[in-house]
Amino acid sequence: MRPTKAELEAARDRVIPDVLPEDGGTLRVLFSGINPGLYSGATGRHFARPGNRFWPALHRSGFTDRLLDPSEQDLLPSYGLGITNLAHRTTARADELTAEELREGGRRLAALVERHRPSYLAVAGVTAYRTAFGRPRAQIGAQDDTFGRARVWVLPNPSGLNASWSLDRMVAEFTRLREAADTLRDR
């Protein structure tokens, strides 16, 4: 059931809990969105808005054996995957966040990576990554940065509003990340 306009507005500033394995569980890739949108805030699910391409890209790239619905996000740890956000505050648009909120989110994300020790941290949104981590020239793809032992990969923002990235191009980038994560796992 789709949230009503009133439910969407009431979701402003809500926080959606991270999806993480239990302490000590395997975490191949920790995906970080920018922040939850109102639709996600209203449903309590990451990347929940119809038209968001995260879930199709995750499946088509081989991270999952079937297309998961956002309501099945709690299955991700069984695939060695997790989800968090740079900023927890739910907004209608990512540009409602301040640069300081993104930088603070970067510091919190670094601590989360230290605790859960993923092989890869994958940030979905290059502009937010640049701001959060002070990397103004960062591009989509593997980064030279690391957080502890975690390698960093920047993915395109999967929002349906990101018209410069088709689903096929997005899947290709998710596939590159999956292949890199598989290479580490196979060592």
Side-chain angles (χ1 to χ4, degrees):
M1 177 193 273
R2 291 181 181 257
T4 66
K5 195 174 231 183
E7 290 169 327
L8 290 173
E9 192 52 41
R12 190 174 294 278
D13 296 325
R14 280 196 186 147
V15 173
I16 299 174
D18 294 337
V19 176
L20 297 165
E22 293 183 22
D23 283 346
T26 300
L27 185 56
R28 291 177 27 205
V29 179
L30 175 59
F31 291 94
S32 177
I34 300 168
N35 76 306
L38 296 180
Y39 200 101
S40 287
T43 62
R45 306 293 182 202
H46 293 275
F47 301 107
R49 185 173 197 61
N52 190 295
R53 293 154 310 161
F54 176 80
W55 298 101
L58 199 68
H59 170 61
R60 286 184 48 193
S61 64
F63 274 111
T64 61
D65 56 358
R66 65 181 178 84
L67 177 60
L68 299 177
D69 185 80
S71 66
E72 298 176 294
Q73 68 184 17
D74 292 335
L75 296 176
L76 287 178
S78 69
Y79 293 96
L81 307 174
I83 300 179
T84 189
N85 287 289
L86 276 167
H88 284 305
R89 182 169 69 94
T90 301
T91 62
R93 296 180 324 276
D95 65 5
E96 294 176 40
L97 300 171
T98 67
E100 182 51 38
E101 282 179 286
L102 291 173
R103 286 189 293 272
E104 176 58 34
R107 291 186 288 273
R108 186 196 62 77
L109 191 53
L112 191 66
V113 166
E114 179 67 28
R115 178 177 170 205
H116 288 277
R117 303 173 52 93
S119 298
Y120 274 93
L121 167 63
V123 179
V126 68
T127 303
Y129 176 81
R130 290 172 180 159
T131 301
F133 298 103
R135 302 288 189 260
R137 291 183 179 85
Q139 298 295 315
I140 299 293
Q143 305 299 304
D144 291 333
D145 293 338
T146 59
F147 289 91
R149 70 178 189 100
R151 293 180 165 105
V152 179
W153 200 285
V154 176
L155 293 168
N157 184 338
S159 167
L161 299 175
N162 184 2
S164 63
W165 279 82
S166 68
L167 178 57
D168 287 340
R169 278 185 71 207
M170 202 167 289
V171 167
E173 195 59 36
F174 273 65
T175 300
R176 288 180 56 216
L177 169 60
R178 187 204 34 87
E179 289 170 349
D182 286 351
T183 299
L184 286 180
R185 180 181 61 186
D186 295 340
R187 287 185 182 172

